[in-house]
Amino acid sequence: MWSSAAVKIFIAHLALTFSFGSTLRLYGAPYEGVLHRYTRPTFSKSDSRATGRIVGGEVAAEASAPWQVSLQNIYGSHFCGGAIISDQFVVTAASCVSGLQRNLVKVITSTNEWMGLAWQYDVEKIHVHCNFDKPLYSNDIALLKLATSIEYDDQTKNITVADEDELEEGETLTMTGWGSSVEGEWYEDELKVLKVQYLPYEKCRAAYGNSDDVDMGHLCTNSSVGEGACHGDTGGPLVDSQGRLVGIGNWGVPCGRGFPDVFARISYHADWIRTTINGCNPT
Ligand SMILES: *[C@@H]1O[C@H](CO)[C@@H](O)[C@H](O)[C@H]1NC(C)=O
Ligand SMILES: *[C@@H]1O[C@H](CO)[C@@H](O)[C@H](O)[C@H]1NC(C)=O
């Protein structure tokens, strides 16, 4: 439940709200996600490769992934992950938010339990990559500009975007998510973490029958059968050993069947992220 730090922050919020009026709301509203606890994902592509989540792995230590957010609908149902990259921007997958109105997406920060008390932020603008799904499964990345700045604390921090990556085959990467741990089951309430290995593009492509669906803008990981992304993990962060964001969950044969998981490669999209944040992209 509420740590004393969270209570203090909440009281500080109230004080600011009262002293400056409600127009100067600097933070998200406290949020108790108890509604629709068992609602299914708001979207899942009909294709079996869509939306992923973590199978295997373990419960993440509190504050071990403070950049992780849960994207939820207005009823408090988790549908995707995301990562805080600045106090105003969250990066996620385009497939999570494409076609959604901004007021239907809430960004939940500062907790490992997506049904626990946390901070909720409204979205001011959704920037979906203009070439999302052109071709199919490409450029599956989006930025959410928040209506109020994120308040950083021990459980809430930004993650550095990897402008370049020099990943080597077999290198350990870390993914986190609230997706279901068993295919077809409910989402997890607690954030889970899984160590996976970097799999070069050519091998990933080969694992998917040399499909064009895997391209340079993707980053793949492999893990043992019984481990991997599952429904609800899409949009979530993949982090390298230096703690930098290298991928955003995209797709894969879900739920640990031994196929690579496919992420949007952050280094490939770093320019898009920068120009979008700087306001130069008309998306
Ligand atoms: C990320 O957070 C650190 C520490 O609070 C801050 O110094 C840095 O400017 C932030 N980066 C961005 C892009 O907001
Ligand atoms: C991942 O793929 C590499 C080959 O690229 C292989 O050596 C490794 O055993 C695989 N890891 C798992 C967990 O399957």
Side-chain angles (χ1 to χ4, degrees), residues 26-243:
L26 299 176
Y27 323 96
Y31 170 81
E32 197 166 11
V34 291
L35 294 174
H36 294 236
R37 177 171 180 146
Y38 296 121
T39 308
R40 287 288 188 175
T42 340
F43 20 64
S44 56
K45 286 185 176 170
S46 51
D47 189 300
S48 71
R49 291 180 305 179
T51 59
R53 148 26 209 238
I54 292 179
V55 174
E58 40 191 66
V59 171
E62 194 66 29
S64 58
W67 42 82
Q68 171 91 43
V69 302
S70 164
L71 302 189
Q72 303 192 351
N73 67 17
I74 53 172
Y75 302 111
S77 293
H78 167 88
F79 60 84
C80 271
I84 300 169
I85 56 168
S86 81
D87 62 353
Q88 287 228 288
F89 283 92
V90 162
V91 58
T92 184
S95 51
C96 289
V97 292
S98 174
L100 287 188
Q101 285 175 21
R102 64 176 179 84
N103 55 347
L104 300 183
V105 181
K106 305 296 173 192
V107 174
I108 310 301
T109 70
S110 321
T111 183
N112 280 21
E113 293 175 44
W114 62 261
M115 304 224 312
L117 275 169
W119 299 105
Q120 168 178 302
Y121 292 87
D122 289 338
V123 174
E124 183 179 303
K125 189 154 170 54
I126 299 176
H127 299 268
V128 170
H129 196 293
C130 60
N131 283 325
F132 165 51
D133 261 356
K134 294 179 211 149
L136 197 60
Y137 298 113
S138 292
N139 304 309
D140 189 355
I141 189 165
L143 283 163
L144 306 180
K145 182 171 195 231
L146 305 184
T148 48
S149 294
I150 292 178
E151 182 77 351
Y152 294 138
D153 61 29
D154 288 350
Q155 295 179 75
T156 321
K157 293 188 165 66
N158 61 22
I159 185 166
T160 304
V161 165
D163 290 330
E164 322 183 339
D165 63 57
E166 306 81 29
L167 298 170
E168 289 182 19
E169 183 164 353
E171 185 167 337
T172 300
L173 301 172
T174 305
M175 62 185 288
T176 43
W178 280 277
S180 24
S181 55
V182 179
E183 185 168 12
E185 294 286 313
W186 310 123
Y187 293 146
E188 295 289 308
D189 182 40
E190 291 196 309
L191 187 66
K192 287 181 78 184
V193 57
L194 178 68
K195 303 272 189 212
V196 292
Q197 277 100 48
Y198 174 64
L199 186 68
Y201 158 69
E202 304 78 21
K203 292 197 173 173
C204 181
R205 213 177 152 95
Y208 282 109
N210 286 320
S211 161
D212 289 340
D213 294 348
V214 183
D215 64 27
M216 302 295 286
H218 290 125
L219 188 163
C220 297
T221 63
N222 67 342
S223 46
S224 312
V225 174
E227 292 187 334
C230 195
H231 304 283
D233 289 325
T234 304
L238 180 72
V239 177
D240 71 5
S241 56
Q242 301 164 56

